[in-house]
Amino acid sequence: MQLAGRLGGAAVLRLLLAAQVVSAFEPISIGIAIGAASALTGYLSYTGFYCRFAECCRPEQPLNASALKLDLKEKLFGQHLAAEVIVKALTGFRNNKNPKKALTLSLHGWAGTGKNFVSQIVAENLHSKGLKSNFVHLFVSTLHFPHEQKIKLYQDQLQNWIRGNVSTCASSVFIFDEMDKLHPGLIDAIKPFLDYYEQVDGVSYRKAIFIFLSNAGGDLITKTALDFWRAGKKREDIQLKDLEPVLSVGVFNNKHSGLWHSGLIDRNLIDYFIPFLPLEYRHVKMCVRAEMEARGSPINEDIVTRVAEEMTFFPKDEKIYSDKGCKTVQSRLDFH
């Protein structure tokens, strides 16, 4: 915005100087020059024009729910619960002009089921540059918080980072990956930012979004999915109420969840615990096809089948679910 202002100011000066030269011959030119300069200044300083050339934070901009829903439908496989909850949660939150607290989502499930992929899709739908946006911040536990003896330092750094970035952009997004590897107690440092406070030290966090990604609870999710399968029920019949209560309690009592005895759960500050179901053989094949399309390659069903059959499945007897989800699809496809 400051750049646009300087550009506009320079344009005004040049036009006014030109007008003074012309005025000796044609006085009406002064009025024309001033009018043109004013119009140019207003255009250049207009936020929309500036945002064509630089990334802008627009917390009031509503979410395009149809675009998000389509992205999840076309790119995420076997996760009807996650897709449904995420669309409803984000749409309701972004369309609310006065939310009472920051939106907090906790995504749970085994590796390769789509948690990181979904966080990427969400980031891209909230900010055009996605994970590369200045307003989207990704923390990886083993990378950013490796040493248990430095928890207090990490907590201070985390609070300062979040405070500074929300001050810059109210609709900032913070993604915490590998929550199950996070040292117990560390995440409670952000509790004030997730709570029902209008402001904390002069800053409002009510339009920010926090997303946790964790493998913790994967065993509980798999057990429920297996129970449905063995009872002859479709996985699509699984509802959030079948998993969310068990998941929140299980994560709270899991010493390796990153949320063990956390005040975030105790104070009900996590809005949704979102389960990612284990992926079946058919879902792995969908992942292979999607990867082929992303590479611009024609779909070869023989290769799709070979890649899917190279994966290992569990339980030992039924062999229903891929033990790595779709995580190794890209590397395996390289061999075909």
Side-chain angles (χ1 to χ4, degrees):
M1 198 67 178
Q2 293 177 349
L3 174 61
R6 290 198 295 271
L7 287 171
V12 172
L13 181 59
R14 287 196 296 272
L15 285 172
L16 287 176
L17 288 173
Q20 289 186 12
V21 172
V22 175
S23 66
F25 303 97
E26 194 176 352
I28 198 171
S29 297
I30 296 178
I32 294 174
I34 293 174
S38 299
L40 183 60
T41 302
Y43 183 68
L44 288 172
S45 60
Y46 181 64
T47 301
F49 180 83
Y50 173 71
C51 293
R52 293 182 187 178
F53 302 96
E55 185 183 21
C56 290
C57 174
R58 294 177 172 177
E60 304 301 329
Q61 183 172 326
L63 175 72
N64 186 336
S66 298
L68 174 60
K69 190 173 182 179
L70 184 61
D71 271 350
L72 292 171
K73 180 181 178 181
E74 293 182 345
K75 300 173 182 177
L76 181 68
F77 308 117
Q79 304 298 352
H80 68 285
L81 277 177
E84 179 183 355
V85 174
I86 286 168
V87 169
K88 287 183 177 180
L90 287 172
T91 303
F93 180 73
R94 287 299 293 265
N95 289 342
N96 184 353
K97 294 184 179 180
N98 186 31
K100 299 302 181 184
K101 65 179 289 295
L103 177 65
T104 308
L105 308 176
S106 194
L107 282 50
H108 296 267
W110 294 129
T113 52
K115 302 184 300 296
N116 289 82
F117 192 45
V118 163
S119 68
Q120 177 182 332
I121 292 173
V122 168
E124 290 170 352
N125 278 269
L126 293 173
H127 296 284
S128 59
K129 292 188 176 182
L131 294 177
K132 296 180 180 179
S133 170
N134 292 326
F135 312 126
V136 176
H137 312 276
L138 174 64
F139 301 98
V140 181
S141 296
T142 52
L143 175 64
H144 296 102
F145 316 111
H147 306 296
E148 187 173 7
Q149 64 271 26
K150 294 185 178 180
I151 286 182
K152 183 62 173 69
L153 173 63
Y154 295 150
Q155 288 179 323
D156 291 342
Q157 291 175 337
L158 190 55
Q159 287 183 338
N160 290 333
W161 181 263
I162 292 174
R163 183 182 299 111
N165 281 284
V166 173
S167 298
T168 301
C169 178
S171 58
S172 291
V173 178
F174 302 92
I175 302 170
F176 293 81
D177 193 10
E178 298 184 346
M179 278 293 293
D180 48 300
K181 297 180 177 65
L182 193 68
H183 302 298
L186 197 158
I187 200 63
D188 279 6
I190 70 171
K191 179 179 170 291
F193 308 145
L194 276 56
D195 215 328
Y196 291 83
Y197 298 124
E198 187 169 347
Q199 290 188 344
V200 178
D201 294 332
V203 179
S204 173
Y205 297 87
R206 292 183 167 190
K207 293 186 177 180
I209 295 176
F210 295 82
I211 302 175
F212 304 142
L213 312 179
S214 177
N215 290 348
D219 54 339
L220 301 173
I221 296 168
T222 297
K223 182 182 182 303
T224 299
L226 265 175
D227 288 344
F228 268 71
W229 184 86
R230 287 168 176 162
K233 299 177 182 178
K234 297 186 296 183
R235 68 190 279 126
E236 288 76 17
D237 292 335
I238 302 174
Q239 300 179 36
L240 189 62
K241 66 181 182 180
D242 297 317
L243 277 166
E244 192 174 31
V246 176
L247 197 54
S248 62
V249 172
V251 170
F252 182 77
N253 291 319
N254 184 344
K255 290 185 178 181
H256 304 290
S257 70
L259 290 166
W260 179 61
H261 289 184
S262 172
L264 305 188
I265 298 178
D266 201 37
R267 286 272 298 164
N268 297 311
L269 299 180
I270 296 178
D271 298 292
Y272 296 95
F273 288 88
I274 304 178
F276 279 67
L277 304 176
L279 299 182
E280 300 173 9
Y281 177 80
R282 60 191 169 110
H283 302 127
V284 174
K285 294 183 78 171
M286 291 178 183
C287 291
V288 178
R289 294 189 191 101
E291 179 61 23
M292 285 180 164
E293 288 181 355
R295 297 183 182 191
S297 304
I299 305 300
N300 185 320
E301 288 299 330
D302 289 337
I303 293 178
V304 170
T305 299
R306 288 204 298 270
V307 171
E309 289 180 348
E310 289 174 1
M311 310 291 278
T312 53
F313 294 81
F314 72 96
K316 184 177 180 180
D317 295 330
E318 293 99 332
K319 297 187 184 303
I320 308 166
Y321 305 120
S322 169
D323 63 355
K324 294 184 177 64
C326 285
K327 199 173 187 69
T328 60
V329 162
Q330 289 184 354
S331 58
R332 289 181 182 274
L333 192 56
D334 291 337
F335 288 95
H336 294 275

